[in-house]
Every structure is written in structure tokens, then in C-alpha cells.
Amino acid sequence: MKLLLTDGDAASRRRTRDILEREGYQVCEAEDGKTATELLSHAGGPRLLVLDLMNPAVDGAALCRFVRNQYGRPYVYIILLASNETQYPLACGLQAGADDHLRKPFDLSELKARLAAGRRILALEDKLLHEARHDSLTQLPNRKVFLERVEACVSKARQQRGYNFAVLVLDIDRFKNINASLGNVAGDELMIQLSRRLAGSIRLRDPNRR
């Protein structure tokens, strides 16, 4: 999993990075808040953040607000690092959207445990989001997703001349007879197998078109 690490102390940052990489994290480093903001602006960015509260240029609280204002992206779990000497209230960072915090100097085993907790929360969020947007039986995108995609296609067709799209409707002949003669379990299994075949036969994007 991608992880963004910011720490004003370069030696401490490198030491933490090396340990986390050995734990299997793909660590992106940022020496200041401005660099971190640039890294977080791109799609597919890190979803685990370990941010120094006193980042130069853009502090940790401002980074938290920046992340939380990026609507539409998957949830990001944020851990703030704060030294005992800082006069900046840690509560400001938590109010800005941080999920957890550690005091510097911190114990690396505690950081790893808190990151593991963050990963569990992200996994749960992903599971809930998937369930909200997919049919529980077939695991295909549900009506909500269908309507969103049709709306997006209609909007694009209005804005882009020459853009065409089609809606294909499929039906299963005499499906009620399957349930009536073989039972609902057999009907469910038929739906699952048909869904898998449909999903496996669809090319999501034509590589020859731009």
C-alpha cells in the first residue's frame, strides 16, 4: 500500500522510510507540506499519510484540510506526528481531519500498529463502498452505478460532438421456470454464472480509440 511520509528531520524520515519499506509499504517522501500537496493532488495517490504537524510551507493541519476537501476520492487515513516542544495545538490537526496522532520521538512498533489499524479501517471502507455499489448476488454494478454512468454518457454526448453510446438490455427467457422447477438456489447459481460470463466477455475500452 502507498504511504506518504513527511518529517522535517531528514535523518528521522529516512530511518522511518527504511523500516516501513521493509514492512511492505510503498513509501513516498515529502520534505515539506508543499511537496506533499503536489503528491496528494494526483489520482491514485497514497491513502495512508504520516504527516509532521509542523511541516514547512504547508503545516500538517492545512494538509488535513486539503485532503478532506478532495471530494470523490477514496478515504485517506491520516496520522499526525507532533513533538512535545511544539506550541501548535495538536487539537487543531485533529479538528482539521486527522484520524490519529503520535508524539515524537515515537516508538516504531507503535507506528506500525497504528498503520495496521488504519489499513483495517480503509479495507472496511472499501468493502462498504463496494457493497453499496454492487449487487450482492452477482457482484455486478447495481442500478445506482448504472444511472450514474448513463448520466455521465448523456452529459458527455451533449458536450462532445460525435460522441455516441448505447444501452444494451438483456433478458433471460423463461427464468421463472428455472426457479419453479429447480428452486431458487439453482436460479441464483444461474444468475451468478451468467454474470461471470458477461463480465469476462466485455472489453472495457477499445485500445484503438482515444
Side-chain angles (χ1 to χ4, degrees), residues 149-166 209-210:
R149 292 179 179 175
V150 169
E151 183 178 351
C153 288
V154 170
S155 177
K156 186 174 181 180
R158 288 172 176 169
Q159 297 172 8
Q160 184 176 323
R161 186 174 182 180
Y163 174 80
N164 299 307
F165 70 95
R209 294 191 62 184
R210 296 184 179 180

Side-chain angles (χ1 to χ4, degrees), residues 1-7 9-31 39 50 81 106 108 111-112 115:
M1 176 173 280
K2 290 182 181 178
L3 181 151
L4 175 62
L5 172 65
T6 74
D7 192 334
D9 185 333
S12 173
R13 190 173 67 245
R14 286 193 296 270
R15 183 170 63 253
T16 304
R17 177 204 64 199
D18 291 344
I19 291 174
L20 293 179
E21 285 182 341
R22 287 198 293 271
E23 291 293 314
Y25 292 99
Q26 183 181 344
V27 181
C28 305
E29 292 183 71
E31 61 183 2
L39 290 171
V50 181
L81 303 178
F106 54 84
L108 284 167
L111 174 60
K112 289 188 287 187
L115 286 171

